[in-house]
Amino acid sequence: MTLAVDFLNDVGTQYPIRGTHAFWSNWTDTGAGSSLDSFNQSSIVDGGTGIVTPSYTNTMANRFYVSGSTGTEALNVGFTICTQTGNTTFPLPNTQTGSTRFIMKNNSVNNSNIDSLITNLFVLGEYA
Amino acid sequence: MSTIVANALADRNKTASKPMDAAFSGAVGSYLAYRNNGVATTLDSYNTSSIIDSAVGSFRPTFTNAFANGNYITNGWGVETETESPPEGWVAVVPRLDGAGAFANKSTTTVRLDSSNANTDAVVDSYYVVCTVTGDLA
């Protein structure tokens, strides 16, 4: 039996099904950043060296969702992790319901911001 | 509360029925917990038919159900040894980028992953790593 539906709803909360990613994006930045593939991403902005801010089609219910990422800086050149920092627009934990500011850093090189060949971003949480 | 039981779902954009996990774009397509402290061991996994020990710190899972394209994401972390504590001992699990092209080691059915020490970038065998793979299944 196959069941086809437009949307799924749990009690009081539109999808996603809990436990699945509310957002993910495969971001690459070798000078001109681009998103190779994504889910629930309305746009993504290259904010300068090592900074990227995706916005969400379906917004999150609050700012306290889980976000994470790992990446690879370049061919055979170490790896990066993505962290978030606070500023006026994105106060700690540097998230908004409609977007998240990620900053890519290479831990082995003085934690400097770097553009990465592969950056894998994700968010887990509930939609509004 | 009612419960619907189905063997397959079709999402709103695709007419073909899919396995339950493939119908949701946000679902994890594969995950694994892996150890290589001399003997490569798969501790747990989902949607992986095999995991090959490719080289020091490098391993390659093969997916039972293939992904729709090679642009899925991977995320993983772990520790290099049982006794080391962060940050000295922790590693990141990332796609290996070498060969003919940037994404030569990443396909719809398999990806070569490296566990790299956070402080040195060295690719190292690790006591314990976990990794998720998320994307659209074929």
Side-chain angles (χ1 to χ4, degrees):
Chain A
M1 179 178 74
T2 298
L3 176 67
V5 295
D6 282 338
F7 294 98
L8 292 172
N9 289 270
D10 63 13
V11 178
T13 305
Q14 196 178 37
Y15 73 106
I17 305 300
R18 288 182 181 177
T20 64
H21 291 86
F23 156 82
W24 59 261
S25 182
N26 187 341
W27 171 256
T28 182
D29 194 346
T30 56
S34 65
S35 182
L36 301 175
D37 201 358
S38 67
F39 170 65
N40 193 35
Q41 177 177 278
S42 59
S43 64
I44 189 164
V45 176
D46 186 346
T49 301
I51 300 174
V52 62
T53 303
S55 293
Y56 309 128
T57 305
N58 296 294
T59 60
M60 306 302 294
N62 55 57
R63 293 193 300 114
F64 305 114
Y65 49 83
V66 171
S67 62
S69 57
T70 50
T72 306
E73 185 175 349
L75 299 179
N76 297 322
V77 183
F79 72 96
T80 62
I81 61 169
C82 295
T83 60
Q84 304 165 2
T85 62
N87 61 20
T88 302
T89 305
F90 291 86
L92 289 172
N94 201 11
T95 58
Q96 295 183 343
T97 56
S99 61
T100 308
R101 187 174 192 241
F102 292 89
I103 298 181
M104 283 76 77
K105 291 180 178 293
N106 188 325
N107 269 20
S108 67
V109 188
N110 300 321
N111 288 322
S112 55
N113 284 17
I114 49 90
D115 286 332
S116 291
L117 191 58
I118 289 180
T119 303
N120 299 315
L121 312 166
F122 72 87
V123 164
L124 290 162
E126 293 181 0
Y127 289 148
Chain B
M1 177 182 294
S2 60
T3 300
I4 297 175
V5 178
N7 291 323
L9 288 175
D11 70 20
R12 68 194 312 240
N13 299 315
K14 299 166 183 173
T15 56
S17 64
K18 291 174 173 292
M20 295 290 283
D21 52 358
F24 303 106
S25 293
V28 170
S30 178
Y31 68 74
L32 60 93
Y34 182 76
R35 170 178 296 165
N36 194 346
N37 56 346
V39 179
T41 305
T42 301
L43 302 173
D44 198 2
S45 69
Y46 166 67
N47 193 30
T48 59
S49 57
S50 64
I51 300 178
I52 296 172
D53 182 3
S54 301
V56 173
S58 188
F59 54 99
R60 178 186 287 277
T62 297
F63 309 121
T64 306
N65 295 302
F67 284 84
N69 56 58
N71 292 328
Y72 50 83
I73 66 170
T74 70
N75 278 286
W77 303 266
V79 290
E80 184 175 346
T81 68
E82 183 178 13
T83 55
E84 283 183 325
S85 59
E88 291 80 5
W90 72 268
V91 297
V93 178
V94 296
R96 182 180 182 86
L97 298 177
D98 61 9
F103 304 100
N105 285 302
K106 194 162 178 260
S107 73
T108 58
T109 57
T110 185
V111 59
R112 184 170 175 177
L113 299 167
D114 283 347
S115 59
S116 299
N117 183 285
N119 277 356
T120 65
D121 287 346
V123 179
V124 292
D125 282 336
S126 296
Y127 178 75
Y128 180 72
V129 295
V130 296
C131 183
T132 62
V133 184
T134 302
D136 294 325
L137 292 177

